[in-house]
């Protein structure tokens, strides 16, 4: 995402200050991290990811080998591929694969997190 410096824009009748718009833009930037799988990972395994996210708030997107995975409503993977680990609104850096699939050595995960958490 290309960052726009709103203070460089000509004076307009915008009711929001330029500094407020810059802060808003910084807050919504996405942060992406990669995780290479070096050995086979069993179905249902818990994976520690290189970024923190807020559980249950839609702040995390997970991809494997470039394909987006779906958040599952259950451990069996009835409607998805992974579960977030932790209580709703808590901060976590773990996901759990559903029991119906695994990851192989050579696969890679990409994690996109909206917001900054620690």
């Amino acid at each position: 995402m290309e960052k726009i410096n709103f203070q460089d824009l000509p004076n307009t009748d915008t009711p929001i200050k330029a500094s407020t718009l810059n802060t808003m833009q910084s807050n919504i930037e996405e942060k992406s991290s990669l995780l290479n799988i070096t050995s086979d990972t069993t179905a249902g395994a818990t994976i520690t990811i290189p970024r923190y996210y807020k559980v249950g708030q839609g702040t995390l997107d997970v991809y494997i080998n470039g394909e987006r995975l779906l958040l599952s409503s259950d451990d069996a993977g009835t409607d998805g591929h992974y579960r977030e680990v932790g209580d709703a609104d808590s901060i976590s850096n773990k996901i759990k694969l559903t029991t119906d699939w695994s990851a192989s050595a050579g696969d890679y995960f990409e994690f996109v997190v909206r917001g900054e958490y620690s």
Side-chain angles (χ1 to χ4, degrees), residues 4-45:
I4 300 168
N5 186 344
F6 291 99
Q7 291 173 339
D8 291 342
L9 296 176
N11 226 351
T12 64
D13 293 332
T14 304
I16 300 174
K17 290 191 223 175
S19 62
T20 302
L21 291 172
N22 286 330
T23 301
M24 289 169 54
Q25 180 173 273
S26 294
N27 288 339
I28 63 170
E29 287 180 351
E30 295 177 344
K31 309 290 188 210
S32 174
S33 298
L34 292 177
L35 176 67
N36 292 311
I37 302 300
T38 57
S39 60
D40 291 347
T41 304
T42 60

Side-chain angles (χ1 to χ4, degrees), residues 39-66:
S39 60
D40 291 347
T41 304
T42 60
T46 297
I47 297 174
T48 300
I49 69 175
R51 299 202 60 81
Y52 287 91
Y53 67 96
K54 194 167 193 176
V55 176
Q57 296 302 308
T59 62
L60 176 67
D61 291 328
V62 180
Y63 298 82
I64 188 167
N65 303 325

